[in-house]
Amino acid sequence: VVHDVGRRITSILDQRYLFREVVRRVAHSFNIELVVLYLIDGDDLCETASYFLPEDSYGFWEPSRLKIGQEGICGIAAGEGRPILAPDVSKHPGFLRMLPVEQNTRSAVAVPLKLKGQVIGVLLAESENLAAFDQTDVDTLEALSAYVSTSIENARLYTETLDVQSKLVEAEKLRSLGMMTSGIAHDFNNLLAVILARAELALLDIDDPKIRAHIEQVISSAKDGGETIHRLQDFARTREDTSDFVGVDLNQVAREAVELSRPRWKDQAQSGGLDIEVVLDLEANRTVLGAPVQLREILVNLIFNAVEAMPEGGMIRIETFTDDKGATLVVEDTGIGMTPDVKKQIFVPYFTTKNGGTGLGLSMVYGVVRRHAGKIEVTSQPGEGTCVSVWLPLSPEVEQKIKLPAKPSIVEPIRTASILIVEDEAPIREGLREIFEKAGHTVILAGDGKEGLEKILEADRVDIVFTDLGMPNLSGWELIEKIRAIHPKLPIVILSGWGDEVDPIKVREFGISIVMGKPFSVSELHTALHTVLNGR
Ligand code: ADP
Ligand code: MG
């Protein structure tokens, strides 16, 4: 028996299988009617596997729980950490009281299972004969119990390893999804830039109110599309751009998010007859390093999810606390919870179980947390609510910040400028040309970095350069480096489909005036031009 169970150490896949095997082996070898394996669970011993002869059934049973140190011979065996031999169980009234009536147990033996000197459970054997066990059985069972404990520990460790592995696979899946998303976002930003620019140009030439209305619809849809793409980019962001990070008081963020979302959890819920209570327990006492707006946005998202998970009303608990390396933000609800299957996919963009859900909320949360070098953990059971906790690193003493020039609110008249546009996407290039020429500027076009450099060298005058980054021949950054060697002060604006992913260190190093994310509107382009040429 000892040998067999020992061998299982290497071949177990399922803890339950191991437990059943242990009780089966013991029952067969001792030729006894009943063997029960109890494992410690909190303050109790919990029945983990049972073996009954002759039924040989493991069916469904209500696991019994015993108080350690008090109830029956198992409780005492666990409490005192030594085997208890009961040749006549009628002398153990505490034990008899717990037996089902139909059970005719006359004698029993209980052996503690120990791991590194700690009791982890009890193995119990019973018999319908008086004095069925003697000291030899106790010795054998004790020897066996050492193997059983090790096997159980190994099974636990093995299950944990599987768990960690599946988490790694999940992380890897999200990473590749992120890369794909980021590529798609880039392409769509380019498309939307063309749509937006062309539609805005068309608007300038058209007076018919009916057609204008159509085009305005196109513009507003393209802008909405841009918004969606930006949310996807929040999920996919890979570059460590922390230029907008400051010390953030999570308690403040929590209070703001609760206020911002009040219409949703208070007014809207109440008008639907629901009662949702929000409880704040804010104990963070140091600041984290982050972008306050984004952190507020993730909290608002988590609150919305909590509200949506509580169709009958309930409670949302928002908690903050600090440890020595970071601060944690917890949002807990008493809602419907999730199945393990749903839980596995919640961070995947567009995964939703809701009618009309976007499936982008938690993807965005995930991206923002990752960008903050934080961690996110979700615990949830169907019917038992959900708890999301976000850990963020504390803000270090020194912060490096780069400020891009702010957009002026008033557009001032400027002289006409000579503008070099370097962009490999012809539709965008042409759109930009029309936009700037309509405003009276002179435009020089180049389809890649190499051509851009040639144009700069041969032009009489260039006042400002608008350049894309990813281009064939000479990339945007390579072009910028070459321009800087000739014109250290020439204003340069970067047009990027990658949004915030432009490296802020390089932006500062090369004295870039503005980084514009695609898609941009006509007014944003003019504002950028005015800002730079007016030296703001
Ligand atoms: P959406 O809310 O648009 O469905 P999210 O990305 O915010 O998208 O959430 C994805 C899915 O995760 C939800 O559809 C829901 O199934 C699950 N989920 C998120 N938060 C909770 C919560 N607090 N309780 C239960 N399920 C949740
Ligand atoms: Mg949501």
Side-chain angles (χ1 to χ4, degrees):
V1 173
V2 168
H3 186 70
D4 265 2
V5 174
R7 222 173 39 199
R8 303 249 165 235
I9 295 171
T10 51
S11 61
I12 29 153
L13 275 173
D14 176 15
Q15 296 199 35
R16 270 202 331 263
Y17 172 75
L18 170 76
F19 300 148
R20 289 200 303 240
E21 196 55 19
V22 165
V23 293
R24 196 179 72 81
R25 290 267 160 189
V26 174
H28 278 289
S29 314
F30 286 76
N31 194 20
I32 43 180
E33 294 84 359
L34 200 148
V35 178
V36 186
L37 173 70
Y38 291 94
L39 290 181
I40 288 184
D41 178 24
D43 289 340
D44 296 341
L45 279 172
C46 182
E47 184 179 355
T48 309
S50 300
Y51 187 73
F52 306 92
L53 283 176
E55 294 98 326
D56 195 13
S57 85
Y58 304 117
F60 294 98
W61 85 102
E62 183 69 28
S64 62
R65 297 182 77 89
L66 305 172
K67 284 267 166 290
I68 295 171
Q70 299 171 18
E71 292 175 282
I73 61 172
C74 290
I76 296 167
E80 299 183 2
R82 63 181 177 92
I84 305 286
L85 182 61
D88 178 0
V89 292
S90 66
K91 302 222 165 71
H92 296 265
F95 178 74
L96 280 184
R97 226 180 304 122
M98 277 172 307
L99 282 186
V101 275
E102 69 277 9
Q103 209 168 300
N104 232 341
T105 300
R106 309 283 288 281
S107 63
V109 57
V111 182
L113 299 172
K114 290 187 191 169
L115 194 74
K116 295 180 196 127
Q118 287 279 67
V119 177
I120 62 162
V122 173
L123 198 56
L124 171 75
E126 300 176 19
S127 169
E128 293 191 346
N129 300 319
L130 269 179
F133 307 100
D134 58 15
Q135 190 55 44
T136 322
D137 295 323
V138 173
D139 292 345
T140 315
L141 274 172
E142 266 202 295
L144 172 67
S145 76
Y147 280 87
V148 172
S149 316
T150 318
S151 305
I152 290 170
E153 176 66 0
N154 278 345
R156 200 182 57 72
L157 290 175
Y158 187 67
T159 317
E160 243 171 40
T161 314
L162 283 185
D163 221 43
V164 170
Q165 268 173 0
S166 75
K167 274 193 189 135
L168 283 179
V169 171
E170 280 309 304
E172 191 50 34
K173 197 173 87 190
L174 287 173
R175 207 178 67 87
S176 37
L177 252 174
M179 280 161 64
M180 196 181 81
T181 308
S182 151
I184 295 175
H186 173 257
D187 288 355
F188 268 82
N189 278 339
N190 275 340
L191 290 175
L192 289 170
V194 176
I195 294 174
L196 205 53
R198 287 287 156 181
E200 290 195 329
L201 280 172
L203 216 48
L204 299 178
D205 292 334
I206 291 167
D207 295 324
D208 182 338
K210 221 171 123 196
I211 301 178
R212 286 188 70 88
H214 289 320
I215 292 178
E216 271 157 10
Q217 188 60 53
V218 169
I219 291 173
S220 96
S221 295
K223 282 183 177 163
D224 287 351
E227 276 304 302
T228 306
I229 299 288
H230 282 154
R231 273 200 283 171
L232 274 175
Q233 280 179 320
D234 275 337
F235 163 72
R237 205 180 320 263
T238 48
R239 194 71 62 80
E240 294 272 313
D241 169 15
T242 53
S243 55
D244 54 344
F245 280 17
V246 292
V248 183
D249 173 4
L250 277 186
N251 300 342
Q252 179 66 21
V253 168
R255 281 188 287 263
E256 287 172 9
V258 168
E259 275 323 301
L260 273 174
S261 58
R262 181 178 293 275
R264 191 73 171 273
W265 56 264
K266 183 88 183 197
D267 312 340
Q268 208 172 323
Q270 256 171 10
S271 68
L274 304 180
D275 201 17
I276 290 179
E277 190 190 350
V278 174
V279 178
L280 293 180
D281 188 0
L282 307 177
E283 305 208 326
N285 51 22
R286 290 168 68 191
T287 57
V288 297
L289 189 63
V293 176
Q294 284 192 345
L295 293 178
R296 201 175 60 201
E297 210 174 313
I298 69 175
L299 192 49
V300 167
N301 259 297
L302 294 176
I303 294 174
F304 282 178
N305 278 347
V307 171
E308 284 155 10
M310 300 193 292
E312 325 252 81
M315 188 170 88
I316 303 174
R317 209 186 141 69
I318 298 170
E319 221 182 305
T320 62
F321 53 88
T322 324
D323 58 63
D324 40 321
K325 293 225 175 75
T328 306
L329 175 72
V330 180
V331 179
E332 199 177 353
D333 64 57
T334 56
I336 55 175
M338 309 171 215
T339 62
D341 244 20
V342 168
K343 205 185 119 192
K344 250 192 234 160
Q345 307 183 68
I346 52 176
F347 297 127
V348 173
Y350 292 109
F351 173 81
T352 179
T353 56
K354 297 167 194 167
N355 233 335
T358 64
L360 286 177
L362 288 180
S363 317
M364 172 261 170
V365 170
Y366 179 86
V368 170
V369 171
R370 198 178 46 182
R371 178 167 174 244
H372 282 76
K375 284 178 229 150
I376 184 161
E377 219 175 272
V378 178
T379 49
S380 185
Q381 291 286 336
E384 292 185 12
T386 298
C387 179
V388 181
S389 71
V390 172
W391 179 90
L392 299 162
L394 292 177
S395 57
E397 312 304 322
V398 200
E399 284 163 28
Q400 290 197 324
K401 272 180 271 162
I402 306 163
K403 287 257 178 291
L404 294 177
K407 289 176 192 162
S409 43
I410 311 152
V411 176
E412 293 158 32
I414 51 155
R415 59 202 158 101
T416 56
S418 169
I419 304 170
L420 172 64
I421 291 165
V422 192
E423 163 69 69
D424 59 331
E425 299 271 336
I428 298 185
R429 198 166 63 225
E430 285 302 320
L432 289 168
R433 183 174 65 83
E434 278 194 46
I435 288 169
F436 286 129
E437 279 182 354
K438 268 198 174 7
H441 302 292
T442 312
V443 175
I444 307 165
L445 294 182
D448 59 38
K450 192 160 155 282
E451 203 186 333
L453 191 63
E454 287 162 13
K455 291 278 162 71
I456 279 220
L457 292 173
E458 67 196 33
D460 298 337
R461 182 186 129 201
V462 172
D463 298 315
I464 182 169
V465 179
F466 284 78
T467 181
D468 189 15
L469 285 183
M471 290 178 297
N473 293 326
L474 205 60
S475 81
W477 283 119
E478 286 164 341
L479 169 68
I480 289 166
E481 204 178 334
K482 293 217 161 26
I483 294 178
R484 278 291 169 258
I486 322 165
H487 300 291
K489 292 249 164 340
L490 179 64
I492 300 177
V493 174
I494 288 179
L495 305 170
S496 169
W498 303 95
D500 305 343
E501 286 185 42
V502 177
D503 186 349
I505 313 271
K506 281 186 165 175
V507 167
R508 187 171 39 183
E509 187 185 328
F510 289 113
I512 301 304
S513 306
I514 295 180
V515 177
M516 294 188 71
K518 294 171 186 170
F520 24 72
S521 65
V522 172
S523 63
E524 279 166 348
L525 283 168
H526 285 313
T527 307
L529 186 70
H530 287 234
T531 309
V532 174
L533 292 187
N534 290 328
R536 291 275 204 102

Short mmCIF file of all heavy atoms in Angstrom, two decimals, residues 301 305 308 354 361, ligand 2:
data_model
loop_
_atom_site.label_atom_id
_atom_site.label_comp_id
_atom_site.label_asym_id
_atom_site.label_seq_id
_atom_site.Cartn_x
_atom_site.Cartn_y
_atom_site.Cartn_z
N ASN A 301 -15.12 52.75 -15.17
CA ASN A 301 -15.45 51.51 -15.88
C ASN A 301 -15.79 50.38 -14.93
O ASN A 301 -16.73 49.62 -15.16
CB ASN A 301 -14.25 51.08 -16.74
CG ASN A 301 -14.45 51.45 -18.17
OD1 ASN A 301 -15.37 50.95 -18.80
ND2 ASN A 301 -13.61 52.33 -18.68
N ASN A 305 -19.40 48.43 -14.54
CA ASN A 305 -19.53 46.97 -14.59
C ASN A 305 -20.23 46.45 -13.35
O ASN A 305 -21.06 45.55 -13.42
CB ASN A 305 -18.17 46.31 -14.73
CG ASN A 305 -17.68 46.30 -16.17
OD1 ASN A 305 -18.45 46.58 -17.09
ND2 ASN A 305 -16.41 46.00 -16.36
N GLU A 308 -23.86 47.19 -13.60
CA GLU A 308 -24.52 46.33 -14.58
C GLU A 308 -24.63 44.89 -14.08
O GLU A 308 -25.44 44.12 -14.57
CB GLU A 308 -23.73 46.38 -15.90
CG GLU A 308 -24.01 47.68 -16.65
CD GLU A 308 -22.88 48.08 -17.61
OE1 GLU A 308 -21.96 47.26 -17.84
OE2 GLU A 308 -22.92 49.23 -18.11
N LYS A 354 -23.01 41.06 -22.38
CA LYS A 354 -24.16 41.94 -22.24
C LYS A 354 -24.77 42.29 -23.57
O LYS A 354 -24.06 42.47 -24.56
CB LYS A 354 -23.74 43.26 -21.56
CG LYS A 354 -23.22 43.04 -20.17
CD LYS A 354 -22.54 44.29 -19.67
CE LYS A 354 -21.75 43.95 -18.42
NZ LYS A 354 -20.83 45.02 -18.06
N GLY A 361 -14.44 47.78 -22.01
CA GLY A 361 -14.18 48.37 -20.70
C GLY A 361 -12.97 47.75 -20.01
O GLY A 361 -11.99 48.44 -19.71
MG MG B 2 -18.03 47.40 -19.02
#
